[in-house]
Amino acid sequence: MRMGKGERAVTELISIVDLVSGLSKAALGAGLYAPEAEGGTPPGMILGLVDEESAKGRVAKVFGEIRERETKRLGRDSVPLFWRAVAHRPLYLEAAWNRSKVLLADGEISLKEKEILGYTVAANVGSHYFGHEHATALRRMGMDDSALVEVLAVVDYFEGLNRVSEGMDIESDI
């Protein structure tokens, strides 16, 4: 057991870190630096967006599932920019979406813990887009500014410890 959690929970935690890290880097590569603004494509956007209304087949099906989840999770009735950007490759859209559905489903770790982890990973890799998304979800779950700053303080603390131990080339004795 680690952190009072079983092996399944630890695997879930690692999988969430991997998911959010990868999606955050894809968002940065697409030019998604900020949350969606009213009135269209944000400045700096590198990729075009697949229009929700003209989506067909596999993309339309996935968009419908995304819209349903995001209505509950983020309080919005539309497909977020990230998913519309990666929809140019329907197989990747579907694979990333399926992975997200599996990892954000009920499991050993609560959905709130998963969102907190997503927020910390997005902050750590510098993804304003996904940082905003996870913070929005957490606010809808009752977290306020003080709680979000506490999460960021923990990220800062452990990131610092990791950098110091890497810089000193300290091998684990645990």
Side-chain angles (χ1 to χ4, degrees), residues 69-142:
R69 181 182 82 180
E70 298 311 290
T71 297
K72 294 174 191 166
R73 182 173 167 253
L74 301 175
R76 59 180 295 156
D77 186 29
S78 61
V79 177
L81 292 175
F82 174 79
W83 299 107
R84 292 178 54 212
V86 300
H88 291 288
R89 297 294 296 186
L91 289 175
Y92 175 68
L93 167 71
E94 187 173 45
W97 172 244
N98 284 337
R99 189 167 176 227
S100 180
K101 284 192 310 186
V102 166
L103 293 176
L104 293 178
D106 291 335
E108 301 292 317
I109 307 298
S110 73
L111 182 56
K112 188 172 185 176
E113 289 170 316
K114 291 175 183 183
E115 291 287 1
I116 289 169
L117 188 56
Y119 180 58
T120 64
V121 172
N124 201 346
V125 300
S127 176
H128 297 277
Y129 182 82
F130 278 109
H132 186 271
E133 177 183 300
H134 291 291
T136 299
L138 288 167
R139 286 181 190 287
R140 290 178 57 82
M141 293 176 174

